[in-house]
Amino acid sequence: MSSSVVAAPPAALDHSKGTYAFVSLGCPKNLVDSERMLGTLALDGYTLVSDPDGADFVIVNTCGFIEQSRQESKSVIREMLDLKAAGRTKGVIVAGCLPERLGGGLLKELPEIDHVVGVWGRDEINRIADHLVGGMREQRELFRPAPIRALDDRQRLRITPQHYAYLKISEGCDRTCTFCSIPKMRGKHVTKPIEQVVAEARELAADGVRELILVAQDTTYYGMDYYGEVWLVDLLKELEQVEGIDWLRLMYLYPVNFTDELIETIAASEKILPYLDMPLQHINSRVLKRMQRRVDRDKTVALVEKLRRRIPNLVLRTTFIVGFPGETDEQFEELRQFVVDTRFERMGVFEYSPEPGTPAIKLEGALPDDVKTDRQQALMAAQQQLAFDFGDSLLGYELDCLIDETLEEGIAVGRTYADAPEIDGCVYIEDPGLEVGQRVPVELVSRQDYDWVAVLAESVD
């Protein structure tokens, strides 16, 4: 789970209504919600400050996905409540997935919280702030039903650097994976119409964005509920026409609905990166059936082989769950061998987390925590060398690099197409003239664990 206290913009607005600090937790989808709340508060006259200590109030936008993320969210909340108890802020508002997951139970557990706001109450955050600043203690909970239409994410105050942004193309999920609580927090799948997504993309491009990272709970399902069929290809073709956007990166691609047309569109595009984030969760057919993933080993292997064959220079990122109820030693070994044979360039591994209210919690065969931890470490150990081998395989090649930040002593930090921000590696370049947001050709000259060292291509002898 990513976490950040949001930095205040360089030019602060007149704080006629009060100052606030904002802590954003969780996934990129949650980050978009955070940016929308920040924009709403800014337009209403509230001023964002970087330090919670001394702010009129603090907002924590939380993650509630698994037990570990819930505990991390509660830890941040308690930290902010300690500031309140010490008189160093006047109130704490808790928003997002944790209130949606726990409902009224959150205020019972942490009664010092002033207000809680569910996922779908985000666009009313300024009204809740008004209640807090005005000393109104009634109606401390704001929960709205999941919308039948996707929310508008324009007029955001972005947390990401100016040159890249997350673009949410849908909400919710219609999948019934037995381990997942997302539908309970985010509701059913709701497609954001193409014209609305494109309008948001144009707004972001006008604000200096060069890389758009498409996110959803189930990206390959885009359009099914709204248009009656999957329309991801149609959306991508429209986004390719948005001026100013250089890179389109696709995340959270479910392995179902991965059509030949989608593969051909990605392979032929000059803007859609050959980087696909496709969570597979497991490879053993029996485990996949117990997970209710709607795919089996044969279909998964066939899809991966097709993607490798038809998309040049493909980088595949995936995630797996180990220690799912009933997973045997043999089934885990099948997964480990699949990872070794498939050679994913990027991979994450999670230990199974028993989530209250999910079907998997009723399954027999729960595994001890130490077994789950051992399997997670073993799978990541197998992946580490594969990732290092991939890094070495690109040494000497020239690739475009998008500069994310500049450090002291003339060092710039960027990313190639093979790396998504925050979760993958980066490239270090020694050149005092580079600026954030530039896209420059570099030659990769050495590897440092998951990162590269590079020189500007034109300076190579």
Side-chain angles (χ1 to χ4, degrees):
M1 178 178 71
S2 62
S3 167
S4 62
V5 176
V6 177
L13 301 173
D14 176 23
H15 53 274
S16 57
K17 299 190 75 172
T19 62
Y20 73 101
F22 199 104
V23 183
S24 183
L25 305 169
C27 68
K29 284 90 71 178
N30 215 39
L31 184 142
V32 173
D33 289 340
S34 293
E35 293 177 339
R36 186 67 180 88
M37 285 189 274
L38 290 165
T40 298
L41 290 163
L43 290 171
D44 201 35
Y46 286 97
T47 297
L48 176 66
V49 295
S50 300
D51 192 349
D53 194 343
D56 289 330
F57 61 94
V58 181
I59 299 173
V60 183
N61 192 26
T62 58
C63 178
F65 181 44
I66 58 176
E67 180 60 26
Q68 181 182 3
S69 60
R70 290 194 291 274
Q71 291 305 320
E72 289 179 13
S73 292
K74 290 177 185 178
S75 176
V76 173
I77 294 168
R78 290 189 179 98
E79 182 182 347
M80 297 303 117
L81 291 175
D82 288 345
L83 281 179
K84 176 186 171 184
R88 288 149 61 185
T89 189
K90 297 175 184 176
V92 177
I93 299 171
V94 178
C97 290
L98 187 63
E100 200 71 48
R101 187 81 168 88
L102 301 181
L106 183 57
L107 277 181
K108 291 180 181 179
E109 183 178 350
L110 297 170
E112 302 89 350
I113 295 172
D114 294 274
H115 296 276
V116 295
V117 182
V119 168
W120 309 114
R122 65 161 210 193
D123 289 347
E124 300 174 66
I125 192 68
N126 56 330
R127 184 167 66 84
I128 301 304
D130 289 345
H131 286 179
L132 191 154
V133 171
M136 299 170 62
R137 292 282 293 174
E138 69 275 13
Q139 297 180 344
R140 295 172 64 198
E141 299 176 333
L142 174 63
F143 294 100
R144 296 286 187 240
I148 60 173
R149 295 181 179 178
L151 300 179
D152 192 332
D153 293 320
R154 283 174 288 186
Q155 296 185 322
R156 293 192 249 161
L157 180 59
R158 288 197 292 113
I159 300 171
T160 56
Q162 188 175 15
H163 61 286
Y164 73 81
Y166 295 98
L167 180 60
K168 188 158 52 173
I169 66 173
S170 64
E171 275 289 1
C173 186
D174 285 353
R175 303 293 173 192
T176 55
C177 301
T178 57
F179 56 82
C180 186
S181 58
I182 290 294
K184 294 181 178 297
M185 292 181 285
R186 292 279 180 173
K188 294 183 69 63
H189 182 97
V190 180
T191 291
K192 186 182 293 183
I194 285 180
E195 58 272 17
Q196 186 175 332
V197 178
V198 172
E200 291 179 21
R202 287 175 177 153
E203 179 182 85
L204 292 168
D207 193 37
V209 169
R210 303 190 70 181
E211 177 184 6
L212 280 179
I213 306 166
L214 273 59
V215 296
Q217 302 299 337
D218 183 357
T219 303
T220 47
Y221 197 69
Y222 175 84
M224 183 66 77
D225 60 306
Y226 191 85
Y227 299 106
E229 57 184 330
V230 175
W231 269 35
L232 182 58
V233 169
D234 303 78
L235 174 64
L236 292 175
K237 289 180 178 179
E238 290 294 326
L239 291 175
E240 285 181 299
Q241 305 305 313
V242 176
E243 294 185 8
I245 301 300
D246 295 333
W247 285 357
L248 292 168
R249 191 181 298 273
L250 305 182
M251 307 288 287
Y252 309 109
L253 295 154
Y254 196 90
V256 176
N257 295 318
F258 224 117
T259 64
D260 287 344
E261 185 182 14
L262 175 58
I263 295 172
E264 292 304 320
T265 300
I266 296 169
S269 177
E270 294 183 359
K271 290 189 175 183
I272 305 172
L273 299 176
Y275 173 106
L276 302 179
D277 170 70
M278 185 172 64
L280 296 178
Q281 310 305 5
H282 215 279
I283 192 57
N284 176 267
S285 293
R286 178 170 172 76
V287 175
L288 288 168
K289 185 175 182 179
R290 285 166 68 86
M291 289 179 168
Q292 205 158 310
R293 290 288 290 171
R294 304 184 189 181
V295 294
D296 58 17
R297 178 189 174 94
D298 290 344
K299 291 179 181 177
T300 301
V301 171
L303 175 59
V304 170
E305 290 177 349
K306 182 188 291 186
L307 292 171
R308 293 278 198 211
R309 187 170 61 250
R310 294 168 62 174
I311 302 177
N313 304 313
L314 177 64
V315 167
L316 269 180
R317 162 167 277 282
T318 193
T319 53
F320 293 110
I321 296 173
V322 296
F324 191 75
E327 182 191 55
T328 65
D329 290 341
E330 292 77 15
Q331 290 166 344
F332 171 72
E333 177 56 28
E334 180 183 348
L335 173 60
R336 193 197 67 81
Q337 191 60 50
F338 172 69
V339 167
V340 171
D341 294 341
T342 308
R343 305 187 69 85
F344 294 99
E345 288 79 10
R346 305 284 182 252
M347 190 184 83
V349 183
F350 296 92
E351 298 176 30
Y352 167 71
S353 173
E355 293 301 305
T358 59
I361 204 169
K362 299 178 182 179
L363 294 175
E364 296 180 354
L367 298 177
D369 288 344
D370 60 338
V371 172
K372 292 189 284 187
T373 298
D374 287 347
R375 290 180 179 179
Q376 191 269 348
Q377 292 176 350
L379 200 58
M380 284 306 299
Q383 170 62 20
Q384 183 181 63
Q385 188 56 53
L386 300 174
F388 290 171
D389 289 346
F390 169 69
D392 290 339
S393 74
L394 292 185
L395 295 180
Y397 280 86
E398 181 180 318
L399 296 174
D400 280 354
C401 184
L402 189 62
I403 305 302
D404 284 339
E405 61 177 321
T406 54
L407 308 177
E408 295 179 357
E409 301 177 354
I411 302 296
V413 184
R415 289 175 293 109
T416 71
Y417 83 95
D419 297 288
E422 303 295 333
I423 58 175
D424 295 323
C426 57
V427 181
Y428 293 91
I429 311 157
E430 185 175 355
D431 190 283
L434 295 177
E435 298 179 356
V436 172
Q438 271 188 282
R439 186 162 63 105
V440 295
V442 301
E443 180 179 335
L444 306 177
V445 296
S446 66
R447 176 181 60 80
Q448 296 182 348
D449 292 333
Y450 295 97
D451 302 324
W452 285 293
V453 175
V455 294
L456 287 178
E458 56 263 33
S459 68
V460 177
D461 184 356

